[in-house]
Each structure stands twice: as structure tokens, then as C-alpha cells.
Amino acid sequence: MPATDEVQEIFSDEDVRCVKNGSPSQSDDEITDVRNISVVFEKPSADFKNVPSRDVHEDFFRKSVDLIMKEAVFKSTSSNGKVLDWHHPRELLRLFDFGLSEKGSTHEDLLKLIGDTIQYSVKTGHPYFVNQLFSSLDPYGLIGQWLTDALNPSVYTYEVAPVFTLMEEIVLREMRQIVGYPHGKGDGIFCPGGSMANAYAISCARYATNPDIKKRGLNGGPRLVLFTSEDAHYSVKKMASFLGIGTDNVYLIKTDKVGKMDTSHLVDEIERALGEGAKPFMVSATGGTTVFGAFDPLEKIADICEDYGLWFHVDAAWGGGALMSSKHKHILNGIQRADSVTWNPHKLLTAPQQCSTLLLRHEDILSKVHSTNASYLFQKDKFYDTRYDTGDKHVQCGRRADVLKFWFMWKAKGSEGFERHVDKVFDNARYFTKIIKERPDFRMVVDHPEFTNLCFWYIPPSLRGKDSNFDFNERLHAVAPKMKERMMKKGSMMVTYQTIKGLPNFFRIVFQNSGLEYYDMVHLVEEFEALGHDL
Amino acid sequence: MPATDEVQEIFSDEDVRCVKNGSPSQSDDEITDVRNISVVFEKPSADFKNVPSRDVHEDFFRKSVDLIMKEAVFKSTSSNGKVLDWHHPRELLRLFDFGLSEKGSTHEDLLKLIGDTIQYSVKTGHPYFVNQLFSSLDPYGLIGQWLTDALNPSVYTYEVAPVFTLMEEIVLREMRQIVGYPHGKGDGIFCPGGSMANAYAISCARYATNPDIKKRGLNGGPRLVLFTSEDAHYSVKKMASFLGIGTDNVYLIKTDKVGKMDTSHLVDEIERALGEGAKPFMVSATGGTTVFGAFDPLEKIADICEDYGLWFHVDAAWGGGALMSSKHKHILNGIQRADSVTWNPHKLLTAPQQCSTLLLRHEDILSKVHSTNASYLFQKDKFYDTRYDTGDKHVQCGRRADVLKFWFMWKAKGSEGFERHVDKVFDNARYFTKIIKERPDFRMVVDHPEFTNLCFWYIPPSLRGKDSNFDFNERLHAVAPKMKERMMKKGSMMVTYQTIKGLPNFFRIVFQNSGLEYYDMVHLVEEFEALGHDL
């Protein structure tokens, strides 16, 4: 194929020279052979030369783990430290020894690299990292993840992953029960991120429309159209394109001021697609939008899907965790009617990255949609019940055991622990909203947020009372980027900003760390004021 | 949507009752509040009640890590232990406390669960786990993974993952250099498994054929056809279906006896597709097939792709690691001409699960194919050079930092460490082949294997010299499943079996653990003989 157009590269030749051969030291000492052998195990006999020594590895392990626990686990999650130590990319290329070379490094050098990696990384477990739909470092989640890594499994057959195979089924069943599927029955899969979960949903919906698509593809059939709101996560469009449906065939439905899907516009758009001779097949509603944290009216959408025979998907990647709280789960009323649900425990429930699920009301559908019956992996003459081999349900082949960390958290806290966690972060969000509403220098974008992401403007002194000025919006638009720059360079907190619906840039703060208290809310508010007081 | 047909469930009602409320104990002692709070950090003040105590967490961390290191890292990788402790699914459901409940568990209970998880899991780091295209537990890889987990990043923007963003670019560039792309230029991405990497390749190839497909989808255009060998990994077909192309439009090309693609059949099939009015767009060649370990003739296939203007992809998920060895890299001659290459460091190079890459010769193509410019994440008014925000290149949104563990291994061993590792496993495979050829009770499926997966039959006493018997093949077919059952119940090793090309079931052993020595080869051979001596 012809090469695509060249673009200006982000790495200049000078950058490249700078990172090459970065690691300065390697001595041909006795531990060289240990480093070059990719295994940790004791030999049955000591008669062999150059045998990796368990002692050398164990010593390095202990030192590394001590360093990681001290610096990355405890220090990085303390509110006394900085959230980040900011450097521009080219600076960081010079500060950090990224370079790869022929020779290996000493254990001493490697320990320094661990320290540097921690220093220059953003502390996503810091209480004031409130920038994304994930944060916190759950101790039980982390131990579960470390255990998974040490066991290094891949989940496709029962024979190589017996514990994880059953654990997935049990956790998925429990989650389906919580969603409200009768007796927790149905299907489900852990997948690498909510975007992939949404992709699986599209794939199942497409199959439900016409199973022949699995074999024959989309070519030659009707034009498929799916519907989602203009505030839905971008993965719906992205995955529709990836799956060959095309971004043009994702019809975006208007949202109201608080970000909920306008169901009368949904009906109009379904009718439009039908009028065009296309085949509507799916509505992807959102339970907790990325920016406003809005919940689409699920019951109404379920009715419409029933009327038109459409697959009803709920992307509750972010909001799904609210189902753990009897006080707050009502915001997802109607989700029990969904054909499929995306729910990421790594978001509201703070499981480590990544822990995402797709849950389905239909039994055994994933395997019908995705199986290819590879004979080398899914032999039917095995001596155990091969219905436990779940690998042909998904498209990944090798797949990480993302279940263990979440299951371990669940064991540690119990369902009531998750409930308390969810109630706490809702309460914090309500408190934060209350205090910024009382202050003249903040203004809410959505007045009564339903969820724990809160969108607001900081109105700096120079703009207060100037709402009617012709350039008010334009000047306000420039405030958030400027404050974000200061915030990052100071490292005091991390909060994202964005513009949607043509609004001037506003901040979006996200709470999912139940270790934060009211005084942290006050601290965050005061930090905004400190960053913007002279603008 | 109507529910899909009910199938007999793998969990009976009795099973479900058995796992519910499994965890017996929870006392309302003082650490309850610690378990329910999802964060580890020190409070600025001690005036608050129910504050999570760092000491309690630290104590649990230390005990857990000690247990994981002792049992999962060191004991599980020792050849003295068993590879697995086999139980049928329903037995395991009764032995292991899977159940989730309202109340949490004590730290003591949690430590027991860690121990049980290790006990009942397959030891994939055991020297005699030679069952899959991954094995070993690399100590540097594991430390790199643990560090990644503690930092819990998601790689989409430079601002939240500065170190990992640059590290990915550096490692991908180095890998492209090793593939043979001029100056290491091009594009690339770390993705969750080789199947996903192959999916990205199909997505890019499709875009290169017609960029409008991104927006308009496959509907209404020509029927796209891709070509891969009958021995290629099943993900090519699976992903063609997922991407809307359909499994029927994957034309399978015959392979010769050793598993290499028959290029004259490839030309015939391309001509057939053209004759049918379809649009051939891609050939996916394989560098190291899953079963035989065969390498397709890449130079010839590159010529054909040039002639017909097709995208040339090489799925070297398994074989790519051979490029690290100057002695063995010739088996991938021609790979430098590929438009895209899948290469999984978690296979031959033993990086922890998962570490997969797609490498491309074309600069900036991933972003053209997959970008949707989500305004809340990829703001263009940031204060740094946003070309470093790589998140819009891929389809995942949140994405794990799979690079660190591999980079850390590379730092530890140097390129020469990887080279020695690769040479060692090739050498072991040669030795294993030599010794089984000398024995009358083994027969090779492929006489001169190119790679480190070796396929062979064990011919039990009752079948020796009976080749001409009418039921020889049928009886031989039953031998491997029987031996596998014994092997698993004994827990002495783990080797897979399968049938392809209508051959009777044969074993496939895979070497990628460079800690194994010649005496381990002898041990493995003798273990086969012990398992089959009375058949």
C-alpha cells in the first residue's frame, strides 16, 4: 500500500537520539545471568552453572515491593503530596531514562527507574485527582490485581483458568441480579473497557436483527441505523464505525438542558430512518453521561424500543455502580428492561483499571454471535463439561482475569460496603454543590446534578457581574484552560474542563473516592479560588 | 427483543444456592470501617472518627504480599510442585468460597481466600506448563506490572499518563526498527491481545481501501474479501465478522504439509474474488502459526500484495519475538514489507498478560481511521502539544498501560537478554525434537519444525507397529485426550492436544520458558511415556 501522508512527527531526530542508549550502566557481574533468564524457579539440582538464584530475585522483589508500597501506594495517595509533577513532553524525555539498549541494567538502576516512574506519573489515587471517571486506589482491589498478575492467567478455558472461569460466572450473575434480570439469568463478559462492552452490545444487537450478518457481513443488506444521544459516550460512534456500520448511521438524539435524551426526538429520528428505507436496530441509552452525569429516561426508551422492535442497550459504564445503593438506584429505573447493559466496576466502584462488564438479558447469546469453534482450544472431546469453556463467547482469545480484583473487593466489603461507598460519594457531591452555590464566584452548568460529576464555571473577579458584556462568554471560555494550566503546574489537584452544547469551557469535577470528607470539598473549592483569584 | 432460546444452564439451582452467602464470617469489629472505605491515604487531621488507618492497611498489604510471593511467585514456579490441582467445576464450586454476601470478611478470611485462589489456579509460571503460547513468570515483568497497578493509570492523554505515553512511543519505535521499518517510523498501539491487534489491522486496511467506510459503513459498497491461510489464528475470521465483513468473506488459503500458505492458491483465490465482482483488500499472513508454528512465505506474499494492491498484514503475535535473535530472525524475512504487524511480547518474550502490539509502516494512520475528537477528552486549547494525546488513535477510550512491564524487562535484560532468551528456547525445542525422534513411541507431525511449538503423537504400546490396521487412526485419536486427562489429574505437566487437517489428535508442546534445561526436556518426554505406557 502507498504510505499515508507524512505528518510532522512528535519525536524530532534530536529527541530520538536523546532516548537511545539511555541506560548508562551495566557491569558484567554475576547477576547478569539472572537478568537474562526469564523465569523464577528453583532448579531440582544445584549442579548447573548460571542458575538463576532465588535469593537474588527475592531480594530484588522485596526491595521493589517496599519501594512501590511506600511511594506509589501510601505516599501517592496522601493529600499531603502533589497530584502530579508536571513537565512538558520534551522536558520529560530528558529527565527520565526511557532509552533501551543492548545491555541490561543493574538492580540498583532498576530501583531508581521504579522511583522515577512513580515521581513523574500522575497520582490517580490522590484524593484530589478528580479529573476522570476513575480515581482512588482501593487496597483490596490492588491486592486482588497483584494476585492476578502473579498467577498470570488467561481466561478462555476452564482447564487453564478454573477459579477465574467460575468466579466470572458468579460475579456476572450477581450483577445481573442487581440490574434486575429475573433470577440473575442471562449472559455476560468481562472486557477491556466500556468501549469494548458497547461494541459487544452493538454486535449482539446486529446479530439479533439478522444472524446472517455473522457470515455474510453488512454488505448487501439494509442500511442499519442506531440511535444514541448527543451526550452519549463517543465510543458508540467509534464502535459503530469499527463494526462497519459507519458513523453516519449513528443518529444522534437531542438532549434537554440537563443532558437527558429527548424521547420525542428519538421517535422522530426512528421514523426518519424508516422513511429513508433504512433499518433501525438499536437504541443505546446512557446511565450517567460522561460530562453532565445525566440519566436518560430508561422506562420511556424501553417502551419505544418495544414498539419498534429495537435492541435496548444501556451504557451504564459510569452510572451502573449506583445500583448498589438502595437510596440512589432509582435513577436507573427501567434498566431491568434492557437487552444489554455496560457497567464498569472500575469507575464508580473504584476497582483497579480495567474492570468492565457487558451484561445481557439473553442466555447464551454471546457465544452464538461470536463463536468460531477453534479446534485447538475448544476441543469437544475433553474429559470435563466444556460448556464451562467460555472463551468462544468473546472476540479476544487471550483475556485477562479482570474479575478477581472486583470479587476480592466484594468479599472484603460486602455489598453493604459498596452501598456505603456509593452513598458517601453522592453525599459529597451534594455538599460540594451546596457550597459552590453559596459562593458568588461559581456558577453551576446544570443546577441540580443527579450524579457525582458536577459541572460549573469559576467566574473570576474580572468577569463578575459582567454577564451582559458582549465578550463575556468568549472571556469565560479562556478561564478554565488557564486555571487548568496553573493547577497542573502547581500539582495541587486535577480537574478536567470541556465545552459541550456551545457553552464556554467549564470544569467537571468527579467524585468516586469515598475517603474524601466535607473538609476536602471545602479545600477543593478554595483551591479553585486560589487559582483564579487574579483572572 | 425476544429472549434467545434457553439452553441448559451450567449453573444448576443447587450450584447457585451453594455459592450464595458463601462467606461465613464477619464481625462488627473496629476494622469494618476500614474495609468500607475505598481509599488508602492519611488524613490531614486525626480529629475524625472512623478514619481508615494506614497501619491496618499496611499490615494487610504486607501479609498479602508475603503470601503471594511465597505461594504464587516462588512455590508455583518451582518444578517440585504440581502444575495444577484438578477439580471438576462442580467440585470446585463446593471447595472454594466463591459466594458474595451483604457483609464483608475479616482480613484473616481474606488471606485464606488468597491462599485458596493460588491453590486451585493453574500455575502458568510452572516450568512444565507448556500448554499455551504463553508461560513463565518473568520477575521483572511482574514487578513492572505491579508498579503499573499501583499507579493505576489509563493511557489516553499525556496529561494523565505522561510517562506511559512517551514510553509507548519509544518502545513501539524500537519494535518498528526491529521489524525493519525505515528509521523505525510508522504508527503503533498497545492493545488488549493479538486478536484486537488483528482487528485494528483489518480496520486500517479497510480504511486504506476506502476512507468513506469510516462514515458510511460497509453497506452499499463492494463486497470486501480478505485472505488468510487455513492454519491462521481464528481471530482473523472472528474479527472479520465483528467488523461487519462476515466470515464468508474470509477466503481461506490452503497450506502445505508444514503449514505454510500456498501462494499459488492465494493468487487463484484473489482471481476468484475478482471474478465474482468482489473487492479483495487484504492478506493476513502468519509468522508462527498457532498449532504447527509455521511461517508463511512473506516475501512471495508481499509481491502478490504489491501486484494486486492489497494491504499486507503479518500476524506475528506468536513468532514476532524471534526478531530479537540474529540467529533466528530470518524466518520472518519479508516482514519489513508488511503494512502492519501484530507482535505480542506476552508470548515468546514472556511479558506478563497482556502485552500486544500492532505496528504499522504508515505514519499517523490509526488516528485517521479511528478518531472521533471527543471534546471532553481531547481539548485542543490545552497548554501543551496535544499531538502527544494518543487516545484518539484507538477504539478503547480507557486503556491499560501494558507498556511498562515490557519496557522494564527490556531495561533489565537489554536487547541481548531477549536474544539469549530466544536462542535458548529454540535450542530446547531442537533438543526435544531430537530426543523424541530417537524414541519409537513418538512420531512427529511436522518432521522439521521451524519454531518452538512441536507437534507429535505418542504411540502407545498397543498401537506400535499397527499403522496399517484399519482402525489405527481412530484409536490413536483417542490416545491424547486420555493422556491429557491423566496428566491433568496428576498435575505433572500441562500440554495441549488438538486435531487439524483431519489428523488424529496430536500433542502440541510449546517452549518459551528459557529457564528450562535439557534435563527438563528429558523429564517431559519420560512423563509422556509414564502417562501412556499402559494404553
Coordinates of all heavy atoms in Angstrom, one line a residue, chain B residues 322-375:
Chain B
A322 N 10.9 -13.8 17.7 CA 12.1 -14.3 17.0 C 13.0 -13.2 16.4 O 14.2 -13.4 16.1 CB 11.7 -15.4 16.0
L323 N 12.4 -12.1 16.1 CA 13.1 -10.9 15.5 C 14.2 -10.5 16.4 O 15.1 -9.7 16.0 CB 12.2 -9.8 15.2 CG 11.1 -10.0 14.1 CD1 10.1 -9.0 14.1 CD2 11.8 -10.1 12.7
M324 N 14.1 -10.8 17.7 CA 15.2 -10.4 18.7 C 16.5 -11.2 18.5 O 17.5 -10.8 19.2 CB 14.7 -10.5 20.1 CG 13.4 -9.7 20.5 SD 13.5 -8.0 20.2 CE 14.1 -7.4 21.9
S325 N 16.4 -12.2 17.8 CA 17.6 -13.1 17.7 C 18.2 -13.0 16.3 O 17.6 -13.3 15.3 CB 17.2 -14.6 17.9 OG 18.1 -15.4 17.3
S326 N 19.5 -12.6 16.2 CA 20.1 -12.5 14.9 C 20.2 -13.9 14.2 O 20.3 -14.0 13.0 CB 21.5 -11.8 15.0 OG 22.2 -12.4 16.1
K327 N 20.3 -14.9 15.0 CA 20.4 -16.3 14.5 C 19.0 -16.8 13.9 O 19.0 -17.5 12.9 CB 20.7 -17.2 15.7 CG 21.1 -18.6 15.3 CD 21.7 -19.4 16.5 CE 21.8 -20.9 16.3 NZ 22.1 -21.6 17.6
H328 N 17.9 -16.3 14.4 CA 16.7 -16.9 14.0 C 15.7 -15.9 13.3 O 14.7 -16.4 12.7 CB 15.9 -17.5 15.2 CG 16.6 -18.6 15.9 ND1 16.7 -19.9 15.3 CD2 17.3 -18.7 17.0 CE1 17.5 -20.7 16.1 NE2 17.8 -20.0 17.1
K329 N 16.1 -14.7 13.2 CA 15.1 -13.7 12.7 C 14.8 -13.9 11.2 O 13.8 -13.5 10.7 CB 15.6 -12.3 12.9 CG 16.8 -11.9 12.2 CD 17.2 -10.4 12.6 CE 18.4 -10.0 11.9 NZ 18.9 -8.7 12.4
H330 N 15.7 -14.7 10.5 CA 15.5 -14.9 9.1 C 14.2 -15.6 8.8 O 13.6 -15.5 7.7 CB 16.7 -15.8 8.5 CG 16.7 -17.2 9.1 ND1 16.0 -18.2 8.6 CD2 17.3 -17.6 10.2 CE1 16.2 -19.3 9.3 NE2 17.0 -19.0 10.3
I331 N 13.6 -16.3 9.8 CA 12.3 -17.0 9.5 C 11.2 -16.0 9.2 O 10.1 -16.4 8.7 CB 11.9 -18.0 10.6 CG1 11.8 -17.3 12.0 CG2 12.7 -19.2 10.6 CD1 11.3 -18.2 13.1
L332 N 11.5 -14.7 9.5 CA 10.4 -13.7 9.3 C 10.8 -12.8 8.1 O 10.3 -11.7 8.0 CB 10.2 -12.9 10.5 CG 9.3 -13.6 11.6 CD1 9.6 -13.1 13.0 CD2 7.8 -13.5 11.3
N333 N 11.8 -13.2 7.3 CA 12.2 -12.4 6.2 C 11.0 -12.0 5.3 O 10.1 -12.8 5.0 CB 13.2 -13.2 5.2 CG 14.6 -13.1 5.7 OD1 14.9 -12.4 6.7 ND2 15.5 -13.9 5.1
G334 N 11.0 -10.7 5.1 CA 9.8 -10.1 4.3 C 8.9 -9.3 5.2 O 8.1 -8.5 4.7
I335 N 9.0 -9.5 6.5 CA 8.1 -8.8 7.4 C 8.2 -7.3 7.3 O 7.3 -6.6 7.5 CB 8.3 -9.3 8.8 CG1 7.0 -8.9 9.7 CG2 9.6 -8.8 9.5 CD1 7.0 -9.6 11.1
Q336 N 9.4 -6.9 6.9 CA 9.7 -5.4 6.8 C 8.8 -4.8 5.6 O 8.7 -3.6 5.6 CB 11.2 -5.2 6.6 CG 11.7 -5.5 5.2 CD 11.9 -7.0 4.9 OE1 11.7 -7.8 5.8 NE2 12.2 -7.3 3.7
R337 N 8.3 -5.6 4.8 CA 7.4 -5.1 3.7 C 6.0 -5.0 4.1 O 5.1 -4.5 3.3 CB 7.6 -6.0 2.5 CG 9.0 -6.0 1.9 CD 9.2 -7.0 0.8 NE 8.4 -6.7 -0.4 CZ 8.3 -7.5 -1.4 NH1 8.9 -8.7 -1.4 NH2 7.5 -7.1 -2.5
A338 N 5.6 -5.5 5.3 CA 4.2 -5.5 5.7 C 3.7 -4.1 6.0 O 4.4 -3.2 6.5 CB 4.1 -6.4 7.0
D339 N 2.4 -3.9 5.7 CA 1.8 -2.7 6.1 C 1.5 -2.6 7.6 O 1.6 -1.6 8.2 CB 0.4 -2.5 5.3 CG 0.6 -2.3 3.8 OD1 1.1 -1.2 3.5 OD2 0.3 -3.3 3.1
S340 N 1.3 -3.8 8.1 CA 1.0 -3.9 9.6 C 1.5 -5.2 10.1 O 1.5 -6.2 9.4 CB -0.5 -3.7 9.8 OG -1.3 -4.6 9.1
V341 N 1.8 -5.2 11.4 CA 2.4 -6.4 12.0 C 1.8 -6.5 13.4 O 1.8 -5.5 14.2 CB 3.9 -6.3 12.2 CG1 4.4 -7.4 13.1 CG2 4.6 -6.4 10.8
T342 N 1.2 -7.7 13.8 CA 0.8 -8.0 15.1 C 2.0 -8.7 15.8 O 2.5 -9.7 15.3 CB -0.4 -8.9 15.1 OG1 -1.5 -8.1 14.6 CG2 -0.8 -9.3 16.6
W343 N 2.4 -8.2 17.0 CA 3.5 -8.8 17.7 C 3.2 -8.7 19.2 O 3.1 -7.6 19.7 CB 4.8 -8.1 17.3 CG 6.0 -8.5 18.1 CD1 6.1 -9.5 19.1 CD2 7.3 -8.0 18.0 NE1 7.4 -9.6 19.5 CE2 8.2 -8.6 18.9 CE3 7.9 -7.0 17.2 CZ2 9.5 -8.3 19.0 CZ3 9.2 -6.6 17.3 CH2 10.1 -7.3 18.2
N344 N 3.0 -9.9 19.8 CA 2.7 -9.9 21.3 C 3.9 -10.2 22.1 O 4.3 -11.4 22.2 CB 1.7 -11.0 21.5 CG 0.3 -10.7 21.0 OD1 0.1 -9.8 20.3 ND2 -0.6 -11.6 21.3
P345 N 4.5 -9.3 22.8 CA 5.6 -9.6 23.7 C 5.2 -10.5 24.8 O 6.0 -11.1 25.5 CB 6.0 -8.2 24.2 CG 5.6 -7.3 23.2 CD 4.3 -7.8 22.6
H346 N 3.9 -10.7 25.1 CA 3.5 -11.6 26.2 C 3.6 -13.1 25.7 O 3.4 -14.0 26.5 CB 2.1 -11.3 26.8 CG 0.9 -11.7 25.9 ND1 -0.1 -10.8 25.7 CD2 0.6 -12.8 25.3 CE1 -1.0 -11.4 24.9 NE2 -0.7 -12.6 24.7
K347 N 3.9 -13.3 24.5 CA 4.0 -14.7 24.1 C 5.5 -15.1 24.1 O 6.0 -15.4 25.2 CB 3.4 -14.9 22.7 CG 1.9 -14.8 22.7 CD 1.3 -15.3 21.3 CE -0.1 -15.7 21.5 NZ -1.1 -14.6 21.5
L348 N 6.2 -15.1 23.0 CA 7.6 -15.6 23.1 C 8.5 -14.9 24.1 O 9.4 -15.5 24.6 CB 8.2 -15.6 21.7 CG 9.6 -16.4 21.5 CD1 9.4 -17.8 21.7 CD2 10.2 -16.1 20.1
L349 N 8.3 -13.6 24.3 CA 9.2 -12.8 25.1 C 8.7 -12.8 26.6 O 9.4 -12.2 27.4 CB 9.4 -11.4 24.6 CG 9.9 -11.3 23.2 CD1 10.1 -9.9 22.8 CD2 11.3 -12.0 23.0
T350 N 7.7 -13.5 26.9 CA 7.2 -13.8 28.3 C 6.9 -12.6 29.1 O 7.0 -12.6 30.4 CB 8.3 -14.7 29.1 OG1 9.4 -13.9 29.4 CG2 8.6 -15.9 28.3
A351 N 6.5 -11.5 28.5 CA 5.9 -10.4 29.3 C 4.6 -10.8 29.9 O 4.0 -11.7 29.3 CB 5.7 -9.2 28.4
P352 N 4.3 -10.3 31.1 CA 3.0 -10.7 31.7 C 1.8 -10.4 30.8 O 1.8 -9.5 29.9 CB 2.9 -9.9 33.0 CG 4.4 -9.6 33.3 CD 5.0 -9.4 31.9
Q353 N 0.7 -11.2 31.0 CA -0.5 -10.9 30.3 C -1.1 -9.6 30.6 O -1.1 -9.3 31.8 CB -1.6 -12.0 30.7 CG -1.3 -13.4 30.3 CD -1.6 -13.6 28.8 OE1 -2.2 -12.8 28.1 NE2 -1.2 -14.7 28.3
Q354 N -1.6 -8.7 29.7 CA -1.4 -8.9 28.3 C -0.5 -7.8 27.8 O -0.4 -6.7 28.4 CB -2.7 -8.7 27.6 CG -3.7 -9.9 27.7 CD -4.9 -9.7 26.9 OE1 -5.6 -8.7 27.0 NE2 -5.3 -10.7 26.1
C355 N 0.3 -8.1 26.7 CA 1.2 -7.2 26.2 C 1.2 -7.4 24.7 O 2.0 -8.3 24.2 CB 2.5 -7.3 26.8 SG 3.6 -5.9 26.3
S356 N 0.4 -6.7 23.9 CA 0.2 -7.0 22.5 C 0.4 -5.7 21.8 O -0.1 -4.7 22.2 CB -1.2 -7.5 22.2 OG -1.4 -8.8 22.8
T357 N 0.9 -5.8 20.6 CA 1.1 -4.5 19.8 C 0.7 -4.7 18.4 O 0.8 -5.8 17.8 CB 2.6 -4.1 19.8 OG1 3.4 -5.1 19.1 CG2 3.1 -3.8 21.2
L358 N 0.2 -3.6 17.8 CA 0.1 -3.6 16.3 C 1.1 -2.5 15.9 O 1.1 -1.4 16.5 CB -1.3 -3.2 15.9 CG -1.4 -3.1 14.4 CD1 -1.5 -4.4 13.7 CD2 -2.6 -2.2 13.9
L359 N 1.9 -2.9 14.9 CA 2.9 -1.9 14.4 C 2.5 -1.7 12.9 O 2.2 -2.6 12.2 CB 4.3 -2.6 14.5 CG 4.7 -3.1 15.9 CD1 5.9 -4.0 15.8 CD2 4.9 -1.9 16.8
L360 N 2.7 -0.4 12.5 CA 2.3 0.0 11.2 C 3.4 0.7 10.5 O 4.1 1.5 11.1 CB 1.0 0.8 11.2 CG -0.2 0.1 11.7 CD1 -0.8 0.8 12.9 CD2 -1.3 0.0 10.6
R361 N 3.5 0.5 9.2 CA 4.5 1.2 8.4 C 4.1 2.7 8.1 O 4.9 3.5 7.8 CB 4.7 0.5 7.1 CG 5.9 1.0 6.3 CD 6.5 -0.1 5.5 NE 5.5 -0.9 4.7 CZ 5.2 -0.6 3.4 NH1 5.7 0.4 2.8 NH2 4.3 -1.4 2.8
H362 N 2.8 2.9 8.2 CA 2.2 4.2 7.8 C 2.1 5.1 9.0 O 1.5 4.8 10.0 CB 0.9 4.0 7.2 CG 0.9 2.9 6.1 ND1 1.4 3.1 4.9 CD2 0.5 1.6 6.2 CE1 1.3 2.0 4.2 NE2 0.7 1.1 5.0
E363 N 2.6 6.4 8.8 CA 2.5 7.3 10.0 C 1.1 7.8 10.1 O 0.4 8.0 9.2 CB 3.5 8.4 9.7 CG 5.0 7.9 9.8 CD 6.0 9.0 9.7 OE1 6.0 9.9 10.6 OE2 6.7 9.1 8.7
D364 N 0.8 8.0 11.4 CA -0.5 8.7 11.7 C -1.7 8.1 11.2 O -2.8 8.7 11.0 CB -0.3 10.2 11.2 CG -1.3 11.1 11.9 OD1 -1.6 10.9 13.1 OD2 -1.9 12.0 11.2
I365 N -1.7 6.8 10.8 CA -2.9 6.2 10.2 C -3.9 5.9 11.2 O -5.1 6.1 11.0 CB -2.5 5.0 9.3 CG1 -3.8 4.5 8.6 CG2 -1.8 3.9 10.1 CD1 -3.6 3.5 7.5
L366 N -3.5 5.4 12.4 CA -4.5 4.9 13.4 C -5.5 6.0 13.8 O -6.7 5.8 13.9 CB -3.8 4.4 14.7 CG -3.1 3.1 14.5 CD1 -2.2 2.8 15.7 CD2 -4.2 2.0 14.5
S367 N -4.9 7.2 13.9 CA -5.8 8.3 14.3 C -6.8 8.7 13.2 O -7.9 9.0 13.4 CB -4.9 9.5 14.7 OG -5.5 10.7 14.5
K368 N -6.3 8.7 11.9 CA -7.2 8.9 10.8 C -8.4 7.9 10.8 O -9.5 8.3 10.5 CB -6.5 8.9 9.5 CG -5.7 10.1 9.2 CD -5.0 9.9 7.8 CE -3.9 11.0 7.6 NZ -2.9 10.6 6.7
V369 N -8.0 6.7 11.0 CA -9.0 5.6 10.9 C -10.0 5.7 12.1 O -11.2 5.5 11.9 CB -8.4 4.2 10.9 CG1 -9.4 3.1 10.8 CG2 -7.4 4.2 9.8
H370 N -9.5 6.0 13.3 CA -10.4 5.8 14.5 C -10.8 7.1 15.2 O -11.6 7.0 16.2 CB -9.6 4.9 15.4 CG -9.3 3.6 14.8 ND1 -8.1 3.1 14.6 CD2 -10.1 2.6 14.3 CE1 -8.1 1.9 14.0 NE2 -9.3 1.6 13.9
S371 N -10.3 8.2 14.9 CA -10.6 9.4 15.7 C -12.0 9.8 15.6 O -12.7 9.7 14.6 CB -9.7 10.6 15.2 OG -10.0 10.9 13.9
T372 N -12.5 10.3 16.8 CA -13.9 11.0 16.7 C -13.8 12.3 17.4 O -14.8 13.0 17.5 CB -14.9 10.1 17.5 OG1 -14.4 9.8 18.8 CG2 -15.2 8.8 16.7
N373 N -12.6 12.7 17.9 CA -12.4 14.0 18.5 C -13.4 14.4 19.6 O -14.0 15.4 19.6 CB -12.5 15.1 17.4 CG -11.5 14.9 16.3 OD1 -10.3 14.8 16.6 ND2 -12.0 14.8 15.1
A374 N -13.5 13.5 20.6 CA -14.4 13.8 21.8 C -13.9 15.0 22.5 O -12.7 15.1 22.9 CB -14.3 12.6 22.7
S375 N -14.7 16.0 22.6 CA -14.3 17.3 23.1 C -14.0 17.3 24.6 O -13.3 18.2 25.0 CB -15.3 18.4 22.8 OG -16.5 18.1 23.5

